[in-house]
Amino acid sequence: SRRISLDDLLSKRLMEVSPKKDFHGARACLKELESLVAGLGWKVRPFGSLCNGFAMRGSDLDITCCLEGDQEKPPTARQMLELALPLLEAHSKFKIVDTIKAAMVPIVKVNFEQVLDVDISFKNTTPLPNTQLLRAYSELDPRVRDLVLMVKLWARASGVCGAANGHLSAYSFTLMAIYFLQVDARTRMPCLDTSLFRGEGGVPKEAKVA
């Protein structure tokens, strides 16, 4: 029988953790949420691993609800959460799992159609540029994504990943893998100008490296 190489094993493992089905669920969830809050004058913005190119199967979806345009008396993040709760409770496709009202960034944890865990925050735009920046790195070369995912898989299997347990977060391991690619003499991956990333749209044209 043919001997399986390490490259074959790694490629197979990366295929196993591909989040393709999660992307379908995320798109459907975004569509439902956009419809749900449209009457409130809000827009829905996704962020996190399902958007930055470094997601694995089972990744949850992070979403923030933002105000659309200028409002005379804009609600606070806590008030937006209170407005969203009854809408989510009445929607058959969403099940509220937890509500974190006292946090600096209020969050509603929901499950969408029993297949996707979703964290909904409010007026939380800070992660949007970071998501856009990481997306740009993931699109530089397929091997960037592969390395980051393998590091995250190793960290998870070794029990050293998870901020809730006092370890580094998956996001931290992503940053370390990217930093390694930037400083290693064999790769010298470029450092992208962070000022180009403002959290709007896809990867800025100026940030794409030929």
Side-chain angles (χ1 to χ4, degrees):
S1 61
R2 185 175 71 89
R3 178 178 294 179
I4 300 176
S5 69
L6 179 59
D7 284 346
D8 289 337
L9 288 173
L10 294 178
S11 296
K12 181 181 178 183
R13 185 67 181 120
L14 289 171
M15 287 292 293
E16 290 172 351
V17 300
S18 171
K20 288 183 180 179
K21 291 183 178 179
D22 296 323
F23 289 138
H24 295 304
R27 282 191 286 267
C29 179
L30 282 170
K31 187 175 180 180
E32 291 292 341
L33 276 176
E34 286 170 351
S35 176
L36 194 67
V37 303
L40 298 172
W42 300 356
K43 58 182 177 181
V44 174
R45 302 290 306 278
F47 63 93
S49 62
L50 276 175
C51 302
N52 66 25
F54 296 115
M56 294 190 294
R57 181 176 297 174
S59 295
D60 60 3
L61 174 63
D62 295 298
I63 290 174
T64 190
C65 294
C66 310
L67 299 178
E68 187 80 72
D70 296 327
Q71 298 188 13
E72 186 176 342
K73 292 184 178 180
T76 64
R78 173 69 180 272
Q79 289 170 334
M80 290 177 71
L81 180 147
E82 297 291 355
L83 289 169
L85 278 177
L87 299 177
L88 291 166
E89 288 171 347
H91 200 295
S92 61
K93 294 185 178 182
F94 291 100
K95 178 183 177 183
I96 296 177
V97 177
D98 194 12
T99 304
I100 307 172
K101 298 181 180 181
M104 185 177 297
V105 178
I107 291 176
V108 180
K109 292 180 174 290
V110 302
N111 183 269
F112 177 70
E113 291 191 321
Q114 300 182 341
V115 295
L116 181 66
D117 291 322
V118 187
D119 286 356
I120 306 173
S121 58
F122 302 87
K123 301 180 80 169
N124 179 32
T125 58
T126 302
L128 300 179
N130 286 341
T131 295
Q132 194 182 33
L133 173 63
L134 290 182
R135 183 79 197 184
Y137 279 119
S138 74
E139 292 181 359
L140 285 178
D141 189 290
R143 291 170 293 185
V144 177
R145 174 186 173 274
D146 290 350
L147 177 65
V148 170
L149 293 189
M150 292 311 303
V151 169
K152 289 168 69 173
L153 283 169
W154 165 81
R156 182 187 293 179
S158 301
V160 295
C161 182
N165 297 318
H167 303 302
L168 291 175
S169 65
Y171 176 70
S172 298
F173 280 105
T174 297
L175 295 182
M176 286 196 295
I178 289 173
Y179 179 70
F180 165 76
L181 290 171
Q182 291 170 332
V183 300
D184 184 74
R186 294 164 295 181
T187 53
R188 293 295 184 187
M189 188 173 74
C191 297
L192 300 177
D193 183 356
T194 57
S195 68
L196 298 173
F197 301 90
R198 300 178 182 178
E200 296 288 341
V203 176
K205 184 168 57 177
E206 301 84 355
K208 294 185 177 181
V209 180

